[in-house]
Amino acid sequence: MNDIPLSHLLDVAICAAEAAGKHALENKERRTETNEDFAHDVKLVLDVESQKKAETMILSEFPDHGILGEEDETPNHNSAYEWVIDPIDGTMNFSHGFEYWCSSVAVRKNQKVVAGCVYAPDFNTFYTAHIEETAKVNGVPIQVSPTESLQRAMIFTGLSKEMEGSREPHLDMFRMLALNSKKVRINGAAALDLCRVADGTCDGFFETGIYLWDYAAAGLIAEQAGALMATYPRDGVPHGATVLCSNEHLIEGLRAIYTKCI
Ligand code: LIP
């Protein structure tokens, strides 16, 4: 089987992320049309429509590849390639008209992410990378921050959509993060947060209760910008994980917080 060039895979990831993101952006007036409403989350009609836009674009180029998306999946175990799609990451933000949201498309070959794009439509910004190329934002190379201690770091995090009960590891982790770093920010879109680690805007990322489609593309982009990723699968939650990401100086401090709280 001929390998598909990484540049071709990345081009398709960019086009698919743009197709999903542009559809949501151009239909913003419908942003509150809801399929399902949860205690700490919402599923939008535009989530489903935007994922379909990305899928159609991908399958027109690679009809036999598999699809794993937040809204639906079409596995194809006969193909080495699988596309991982979060059509609107930061759904709650999008539904409230808050600009911090994005569309994320990654492609895995034999379960390993090899290329990905995170597109932030309200900022007209494309974060891209493949495994043999440095990460870029709108075509310009990016790299992680040089911050050497958590006490001087700004860390992005989030609170899981599945928080239940009073004692939550998420809240324990948030407290530990807040006490052990200079500043913690909750923005509501993991994929975009990880891209801001990649471009050095923030110094690290830490979130439990997210999913492969939230971090597949942005995790590769962060790694190709010099970040280290630590991913801990969540027992009994398909594709669920806790994700830590930072430059080489901070990752052990983040890992220490995680191990104290689990
Ligand atoms: C969101 C993540 C965010 C997390 C939210 C939600 P979605 O993904 O990007 O970091 O805190 O709970 O999971 O559901 O908007 O695609």
Side-chain angles (χ1 to χ4, degrees):
M1 174 184 64
N2 296 329
D3 274 356
I4 302 171
L6 290 167
S7 56
H8 186 187
L9 292 170
L10 181 54
D11 287 346
V12 172
I14 293 167
C15 290
E18 185 174 22
K22 282 268 170 54
H23 181 73
L25 184 72
E26 291 163 0
N27 289 276
K28 244 183 186 175
E29 73 283 355
R30 296 172 47 218
R31 65 178 179 270
T32 56
E33 290 178 14
T34 303
N35 277 337
E36 289 182 271
D37 215 355
F38 304 93
H40 304 291
D41 192 26
V42 65
K43 286 283 183 199
L44 304 177
V45 169
L46 281 172
D47 278 313
V48 176
E49 292 179 6
S50 296
Q51 177 164 323
K52 199 67 190 159
K53 292 290 184 184
E55 280 182 36
T56 302
M57 196 276 134
I58 292 162
L59 297 177
S60 68
E61 190 76 12
F62 303 116
D64 64 341
H65 287 189
I67 300 285
L68 170 61
E70 180 169 16
E71 305 311 320
D72 189 13
E73 58 180 288
T74 320
N76 183 343
H77 304 300
N78 298 320
S79 173
Y81 292 94
E82 177 187 59
W83 295 78
V84 185
I85 305 169
D86 189 345
I88 303 176
D89 183 56
T91 307
M92 276 293 288
N93 292 351
F94 174 78
S95 69
H96 283 256
F98 178 35
E99 295 84 354
Y100 199 85
W101 63 278
C102 60
S103 297
S104 173
V105 175
V107 56
R108 301 202 294 180
K109 181 182 177 187
N110 299 319
Q111 305 284 305
K112 178 182 185 304
V113 177
V114 295
C117 174
V118 171
Y119 171 45
D122 273 316
F123 303 105
N124 195 24
T125 298
F126 290 85
Y127 291 90
T128 61
H130 66 59
I131 52 172
E132 293 177 5
E133 189 180 77
T134 187
K136 295 175 183 171
V137 60
N138 292 345
V140 177
I142 51 179
Q143 66 179 26
V144 295
S145 77
T147 304
E148 296 189 358
S149 77
L150 268 179
Q151 289 68 29
R152 302 197 58 77
M154 179 163 75
I155 305 295
F156 285 0
T157 189
L159 291 176
S160 168
K161 58 181 76 171
E162 287 130 10
M163 283 198 330
E164 300 304 335
S166 55
R167 190 205 177 284
E168 281 296 333
H170 325 288
L171 295 176
D172 292 346
M173 290 175 190
F174 179 78
R175 183 176 183 279
M176 290 283 286
L177 269 178
L179 293 174
N180 289 281
S181 58
K182 196 171 189 68
K183 269 296 173 192
V184 172
R185 291 281 183 264
I186 294 181
N187 305 309
L192 213 37
D193 287 351
L194 284 162
C195 288
R196 306 317 298 265
V197 175
D199 71 13
T201 302
C202 75
D203 302 301
F205 173 80
F206 183 128
E207 185 161 357
T208 189
I210 58 175
Y211 293 84
L212 178 62
W213 41 81
D214 293 318
Y215 68 84
L220 175 71
I221 291 164
E223 288 177 324
Q224 295 306 112
L228 300 177
M229 284 273 288
T231 306
Y232 302 91
R234 287 171 62 208
D235 294 342
V237 181
H239 310 302
T242 293
V243 173
L244 319 180
C245 179
S246 72
N247 63 34
E248 58 184 346
H249 307 295
L250 306 179
I251 196 73
E252 288 314 319
L254 295 178
R255 205 194 304 270
I257 290 172
Y258 172 70
T259 50
K260 279 189 189 131
C261 295
I262 54 172

